[in-house]
């Protein structure tokens, strides 16, 4: 097992602990997006706890903000704060680790989670970098369900118009949302063709839970000039825990003690 994949499964273990302790959280999406976050924060983003005030640090926006538990696990593991505080107090009364990204937490660039707003925030940051002559890149992670929001498409059009090749979006395409299959709730197929029609460079990652494939995709995005890029990552909701995989009921689910024990067992077996 490569080091990034190993790290992603260690972080899955943290997410399960966080969800079980809090009796809250969007575990299915957390487990589908964690490989994306692992690759970004350990290999791609030019940012660290020591560079939080550096004007040339890369920016990251978690547009699918309901999966902030996964982001907290990654940021804590990277040393932005004590990870155990997030695991033990997520969603608790008076905790700063609430259910959506907020700037009270070190490493969070913007309050986010109003679905469909992430690309617009990213466009603003990327355009500011162009205007200010800054070298930083901006990365945005979206869910496929939120692609039904029309504000995405206004922002996509603006990103292309301004040739924001310093902007990279990722769609965590796991095919499920809270009320069922995305294609049945409101189909957005084919997302790649939609982004192309709006003038984006499209990178299709067939296994969006493969850290090596994702790393290759982000390398291609960074090398591409003249257009914004999007990584379409085909993921599995609940990836890594057998009884959660591809189950809409785990969009937001509370683990019983038996389910918690089973999930931990499966993840630790992968890490052996």
């Amino acid at each position: 097992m490569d080091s990034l994949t190993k790290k992603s499964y260690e972080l899955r273990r943290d997410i399960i602990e966080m969800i079980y302790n809090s009796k809250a959280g969007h575990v299915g999406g957390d487990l589908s997006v964690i490989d994306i976050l692992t690759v970004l924060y350990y290999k791609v983003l030019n940012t660290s706890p020591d560079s939080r005030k550096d004007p040339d640090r890369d920016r990251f926006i978690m547009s699918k903000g309901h999966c902030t538990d996964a982001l907290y696990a990654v940021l804590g593991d990277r040393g932005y704060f004590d990870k155990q505080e997030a695991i033990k107090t997520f969603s608790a009364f008076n905790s700063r680790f609430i259910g959506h990204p907020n700037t009270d937490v070190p490493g969070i660039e913007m309050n986010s989670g109003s679905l469909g707003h992430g690309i617009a925030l990213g466009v603003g940051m990327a355009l500011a970098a162009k205007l200010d002559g800054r070298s930083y890149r901006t990365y945005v992670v979206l869910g496929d369900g939120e692609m039904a929001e029309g504000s995405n498409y206004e922002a996509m059009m603006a990103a292309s118009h301004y040739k924001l090749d310093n902007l990279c979006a990722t769609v965590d395409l796991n095919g499920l949302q809270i009320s069922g299959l995305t294609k049945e709730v409101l189909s957005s197929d084919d997302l790649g063709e939609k982004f192309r029609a709006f003038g984006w460079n499209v990178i299709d990652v067939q296994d969006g839970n493969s850290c090596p494939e994702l790393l290759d995709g982000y390398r291609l995005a960074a090398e591409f000039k003249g257009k914004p890029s999007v990584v379409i990552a085909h993921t599995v909701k609940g990836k890594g825990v057998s009884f959660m995989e591809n189950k809409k009921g785990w969009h937001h689910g509370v683990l019983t003690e038996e389910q918690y024990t089973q999930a931990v067992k499966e993840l630790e077996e992968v890490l052996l």
Side-chain angles (χ1 to χ4, degrees), residues 27-41:
V27 64
D30 292 330
L31 297 179
S32 71
V33 79
I34 192 60
D35 305 287
I36 294 166
L37 297 180
T38 300
V39 171
L40 285 173
Y41 273 93

Side-chain angles (χ1 to χ4, degrees), residues 216-233:
D216 285 343
Y218 288 121
R219 176 182 54 79
L220 293 172
E223 292 172 353
F224 195 89
K225 302 303 177 187
K227 294 180 179 181
S229 290
V230 60
V231 173
I232 307 291

Side-chain angles (χ1 to χ4, degrees), residues 119-173:
I119 295 185
L121 292 170
V123 166
M125 292 178 176
L127 183 57
K130 292 281 189 182
L131 294 173
D132 293 342
R134 295 289 183 185
S135 61
Y136 68 83
R137 291 176 57 77
T138 298
Y139 291 82
V140 181
V141 169
L142 309 105
D144 52 346
E146 75 170 295
M147 293 307 296
E149 300 284 354
S151 50
N152 286 306
Y153 298 93
E154 296 178 46
M156 286 157 60
M157 185 163 54
S160 174
H161 176 79
Y162 291 109
K163 298 180 173 56
L164 299 181
D165 51 12
N166 57 348
L167 173 64
C168 178
T170 304
V171 180
D172 177 21
L173 201 160

Side-chain angles (χ1 to χ4, degrees), residues 12-22 84 87 255 260 264:
R12 280 180 168 88
R13 175 69 177 82
D14 292 333
I15 290 166
I16 292 299
E17 194 73 24
M18 193 183 303
I19 297 287
Y20 182 66
N21 286 342
S22 66
Q84 288 304 312
I87 290 172
L255 289 155
Y260 164 76
V264 169

Side-chain angles (χ1 to χ4, degrees), residues 236-262:
V236 175
K237 196 152 193 165
K239 176 68 176 179
V241 178
S242 61
F243 60 85
M244 294 183 184
E245 291 187 356
N246 285 318
K247 300 291 194 299
K248 72 174 183 179
W250 287 104
H251 177 85
H252 184 291
V254 176
L255 289 155
T256 65
E257 183 177 356
E258 182 180 359
Q259 289 169 331
Y260 164 76
T261 301
Q262 179 64 25

Side-chain angles (χ1 to χ4, degrees), residues 102-114:
N102 71 99
T103 53
D104 286 340
V105 176
I108 302 293
E109 294 284 350
M110 291 286 293
N111 294 358
S112 64
S114 295

